[in-house]
Amino acid sequence: MRINKCKNIGRVIFVVEGDKDEVELLKNLFSKVFDYSIVNYDKRTNQIIELKSKNNKYSRVFVIPAEYSSIKKFDIDDDYFDNIFRKLSKYELDSENSAIYILFDRDRDSNRPKAINDKMKLYVNSRDNGINKNGLLLMSYPCIQSFYYNCNKDNKDVLSSKELKEDFECIKYQVKLDNLKEGLNYFFKKIKDILKEDFSLSFLDNFKDCNIKIFNYEEKEYEKYNRYILLSMLFVSFVDLGIVEL
């Protein structure tokens, strides 16, 4: 495994469940760690915030909050996203020809298993979903804060998203290049434990089966021990973009 810090990734879209935690993480990763330009649509103010890279003019990451926090209501083909994509076109965004990643939490209070499975079957590839809009659904168990814990070698048992978020407010983990490598090592090891095989680039052609197997594994873990294994699928996007080379 190698991290290619100079990789040109073109235009990339991250659709995120929340308008704060995910945005802060992605800004830190793609602006500070990788030095890419960031364009963030703030739905609270209807403003567009741009952070320009001084060194890489070919890579731009767009961060867009979903209209609803419930995955059941998510539809990237609706008017909400159409309007935002039009607003962002002046920043050279072409959503049809950009990799799209959809980040949601496994939140038991708002995201039910059937709704999650339905979306996992629909959003299977970041660039090509056939007749459907491009987009790859990447869950975090139980929430996006797991990414920080994975990178900081702290994989404690938790009961819920709320519990982990409260713990994170006290600890305030950071992610830098060195501990991102630790997180990737943990991620690949855990995926091998779950899938019984090494992570392969071929998984990314259609991520449905992997997504559902990981989801079912986490659900069984919760049924047995009343907890989730801390795991963020955000790591998948780095492999898919070629930032991480296997």
Side-chain angles (χ1 to χ4, degrees):
M1 178 193 73
R2 184 172 79 92
I3 296 179
N4 185 358
K5 199 170 182 292
C6 299
K7 175 73 175 179
N8 291 324
I9 59 174
R11 274 44 176 170
V12 178
I13 301 169
F14 281 88
V15 176
V16 297
E17 176 183 347
D19 49 24
K20 181 184 175 184
D21 296 338
E22 292 90 344
V23 174
E24 289 180 359
L25 173 57
L26 293 173
K27 280 183 177 179
N28 177 66
L29 286 170
F30 288 106
S31 179
K32 295 181 181 179
V33 176
F34 294 111
D35 193 25
Y36 297 146
S37 293
I38 302 285
V39 180
N40 171 219
Y41 172 74
D42 189 334
K43 72 177 183 181
R44 296 167 297 184
T45 61
N46 195 31
Q47 292 182 329
I48 297 170
I49 303 162
E50 183 179 18
L51 301 174
K52 289 186 177 180
S53 169
K54 296 179 180 178
N55 302 307
N56 190 328
K57 62 181 179 180
Y58 301 107
S59 302
R60 188 171 292 170
V61 176
F62 295 82
V63 183
I64 303 170
E67 187 174 11
Y68 305 105
S69 60
S70 171
I71 199 170
K72 183 178 181 180
K73 296 181 179 180
F74 180 80
D75 182 359
I76 205 167
D77 279 316
D78 66 15
D79 291 341
Y80 171 80
F81 287 106
D82 285 344
N83 291 332
I84 295 173
F85 292 152
R86 279 197 293 272
K87 286 177 184 288
L88 295 175
S89 62
K90 66 180 180 181
Y91 296 89
E92 302 178 356
L93 176 63
D94 176 5
S95 64
E96 297 294 333
N97 294 294
S98 300
I100 299 178
Y101 303 98
I102 303 157
L103 307 185
F104 268 84
D105 293 344
R106 173 58 184 111
D107 189 331
R108 296 185 71 86
D109 293 330
S110 59
N111 294 326
R112 307 308 302 159
K114 184 182 184 305
I116 292 172
N117 272 267
D118 288 345
K119 302 303 182 183
M120 283 181 170
K121 294 172 184 176
L122 185 62
Y123 299 109
V124 302
N125 187 293
S126 65
R127 296 172 179 84
D128 184 7
N129 283 327
I131 62 173
N132 298 312
K133 180 78 172 176
N134 45 312
L136 174 58
L137 175 60
L138 300 175
M139 302 289 295
S140 289
Y141 302 90
C143 56
I144 193 64
Q145 281 75 11
S146 294
F147 188 89
Y148 293 97
Y149 287 79
N150 291 164
C151 289
N152 285 278
K153 295 183 179 181
D154 186 357
N155 299 298
K156 60 183 68 180
D157 296 345
V158 295
L159 300 177
S160 66
S161 297
K162 181 182 178 185
E163 183 182 64
L164 191 64
K165 290 175 181 178
E166 289 174 351
D167 186 70
F168 179 74
E169 286 301 311
C170 298
I171 297 174
K172 291 292 186 182
Y173 280 134
Q174 298 296 316
V175 178
K176 299 180 180 179
L177 188 61
D178 287 343
N179 59 4
L180 177 59
K181 294 177 182 177
E182 296 293 342
L184 285 159
N185 286 330
Y186 171 83
F187 173 78
F188 289 125
K189 180 180 182 301
K190 186 55 63 176
I191 291 300
K192 185 175 183 179
D193 290 343
I194 295 172
L195 302 181
K196 309 304 181 187
E197 59 180 312
D198 289 324
F199 190 96
S200 169
L201 290 175
S202 63
F203 294 168
L204 298 170
D205 294 336
N206 186 322
F207 205 63
K208 178 188 72 173
D209 290 343
C210 293
N211 246 344
I212 291 175
K213 285 178 182 177
I214 294 163
F215 175 78
N216 289 339
Y217 183 93
E218 289 278 10
E219 290 302 290
K220 288 179 181 177
E221 190 75 11
Y222 190 89
E223 290 173 7
K224 289 180 182 177
Y225 306 110
N226 201 35
R227 64 171 172 83
Y228 285 108
I229 293 172
L230 300 193
L231 185 66
S232 175
M233 303 305 291
L234 174 58
F235 291 106
V236 172
S237 66
F238 298 114
V239 181
D240 194 38
L241 291 169
I243 297 172
V244 172
E245 299 174 357
L246 302 181

